[in-house]
Amino acid sequence: MSEYKGVMIYGEVVEGKLSSIATELLGCGRKMADDLGQELSAVLIGSGVSGLAQEAIAFGADKVYVVDDPLLKDYQTDSYISVMEKVVKQVMPQIVLTGQTTIGRDLAPRLAFRLGTAATMDCVALEIDPDSKRLLQIKPVYGGNAQAIFSYESDPQVATVRAKAMAPLEPDASRKGEVITIEAGVDPATIRTKVVEKVKEEVEGIRLEDAAVVVSGGRGMGGVEGFKQLEELAKVLKGAVGASRPACDAGWWPDTSQVGLTGKIVTPDFYVAVGISGSSQHMAGCSSAKTIVAINKDSEANIFREARYGIVGDWKKVLPAFIQKVKELVSE
Ligand SMILES: Cc1cc2nc3c(=O)[nH]c(=O)nc-3n(C[C@H](O)[C@H](O)[C@H](O)COP(=O)(O)OP(=O)(O)OC[C@H]3O[C@@H](n4cnc5c(N)ncnc54)[C@H](O)[C@@H]3O)c2cc1C
């Protein structure tokens, strides 16, 4: 029998707070740990992160390994990878999860390499095989046109998980867990990079990922002018504006608002797709929306197969009437 036991998540800390992806990993990690009848642990790395351990427990962790050191103030590949390697070798979990974030994408494959195992990137679902008790890692392949299930024999099984693919548990402040402090033991001379400057992305209004309503425009908008109307609609609905890749590539809307396989994943209650054909790569970013409304002049467009409500027509005619009606309904 394998000596590796339990599920471990890397709890990314963003601006001194437990990130949303960390809480999502704790939610899915909890389920897998329960399926295996084993423990769920979280690793918190940084400077001044000890205070977040109880929060990780409230979100589902049984144990929290805290590595708190001024040297770890900023994410640096050299220091964080050596700390993760040390913690994983000490705890020996069967499964190690990180978010499919800039940090997780950097950390997971390097960690897997150092541990002589494999990593599956960008998983959208994870399950425990009821017979083998191995981790089944489900991820999009062929540009989002299919999903594949991966599993492998080596331990630990390392995977990165897409943001918003899993739901966090309701935090329970009365949950009890153990907090274990581990010395970083990092030699500053081994850190080959230094953070020179941090530039924060400016976001006006609601962040796309957090918006309950997303209004997106595609190539069919024909230019930046149409996006002004989308902005107006988003404002009335207290939402955010997204875009398809061609609209971003054309410079009609910022790249940071691209929805899809190579853009952001959004999970709003209401997604309005205007002048968007509904390619699988675009849908990979919005198919989890509760309700999709499409406005497209082509009745055969794929988006109408995905949408609950559809309006066939030119957005230049449809959108002003749509915005007017929404304004009336909102003010009632
Ligand atoms: C590896 C890879 C990754 C990709 N990642 C992404 C991604 O993350 N996000 C993404 O969006 N795409 C992505 N793509 C591109 C994707 O394949 C599609 O090309 C893209 O989604 C199409 O964008 P669109 O729907 O805006 O444009 P089109 O497919 O050109 O559709 C435009 C639509 O607008 C309609 N239309 C035109 N004029 C009007 C009008 N006046 N009124 C109403 N409707 C109108 C048309 O009928 C048409 O359906 C990726 C592709 C690859 C290969």
Side-chain angles (χ1 to χ4, degrees), residues 143 217-220 243-247 258-263 275-279 281-282 295-298 301 313-316:
R219 197 187 332 244
S244 71
R245 185 154 117 176
Q258 182 182 313
V259 172
L261 187 68
T262 43
I276 290 178
S277 59
S279 68
Q281 293 86 1
H282 185 79
I295 301 174
N296 197 303
K297 67 178 185 184
D298 175 9
D314 187 331
W315 66 263
K316 292 187 198 93

Side-chain angles (χ1 to χ4, degrees), residues 230-250:
L230 299 184
E231 229 178 342
E232 191 186 347
L233 179 59
K235 204 169 164 194
V236 182
L237 291 168
K238 297 190 173 56
V241 178
S244 71
R245 185 154 117 176
C248 293
D249 288 349

Side-chain angles (χ1 to χ4, degrees), residues 279-293:
S279 68
S280 60
Q281 293 86 1
H282 185 79
M283 297 318 296
C286 62
S287 56
S288 303
K290 286 203 185 102
T291 302
I292 298 178
V293 175

Side-chain angles (χ1 to χ4, degrees), residues 139-176:
K139 61 167 286 178
V141 290
Y142 301 123
N145 287 312
Q147 288 198 340
I149 304 174
F150 293 83
S151 188
Y152 42 85
E153 294 302 320
S154 55
D155 280 323
Q157 292 179 281
V158 180
T160 69
V161 178
R162 241 189 224 192
K164 301 261 184 170
M166 321 270 173
L169 298 174
E170 271 302 311
D172 175 359
S174 66
R175 269 193 101 250
K176 296 267 177 290

Side-chain angles (χ1 to χ4, degrees), residues 79-99:
S79 53
Y80 274 57
I81 190 72
S82 87
V83 168
M84 271 309 276
E85 184 185 4
K86 179 177 173 180
V87 177
V88 172
K89 281 185 171 163
Q90 185 175 321
V91 180
M92 295 182 71
Q94 180 192 323
I95 295 168
V96 179
L97 305 178
T98 77

